[in-house]
Amino acid sequence: MGEITEALRRAMAERGEDFWRDVEGIPLTAEWWREISEAIEKSDNFIFVISPDSVGSDVCAREIGQAVSNNKR
């Protein structure tokens, strides 16, 4: 998965676009969802990379819900 998202990040950087992704894992603290949620809210677009793990993840489902509720492309 890391190779795919890294290639996507490089391609977007070449176009001058910012790209945020959770590379090292956001620590599971009281602030973790706020950090993810704010990143989604501030973004222009939301890209969900489908993998067996991401499809089955409750957190990923929550991220998609946040993106939908904020009308992200």
Side-chain angles (χ1 to χ4, degrees):
M1 178 65 73
E3 294 175 21
I4 294 168
T5 57
E6 177 57 23
L8 183 57
R9 186 203 60 77
R10 279 194 312 268
M12 291 182 72
E14 289 173 4
R15 295 181 176 168
E17 300 289 338
D18 289 330
F19 185 89
W20 182 88
R21 66 182 171 142
D22 177 14
V23 178
E24 297 176 14
I26 299 170
L28 295 177
T29 65
E31 300 294 318
W32 75 273
W33 177 249
R34 182 188 55 76
E35 186 175 339
I36 292 170
S37 184
E38 285 179 2
I40 293 169
E41 289 171 13
K42 291 177 182 177
S43 70
D44 293 325
N45 300 290
F46 178 82
I47 299 171
F48 182 74
V49 179
I50 298 171
S51 72
D53 289 336
S54 67
V55 169
S57 167
D58 291 336
V59 172
C60 288
R62 194 170 170 191
E63 291 171 348
I64 292 170
Q66 183 72 8
V68 169
S69 70
N70 282 277
N71 298 313
K72 299 301 171 177
R73 292 180 272 169

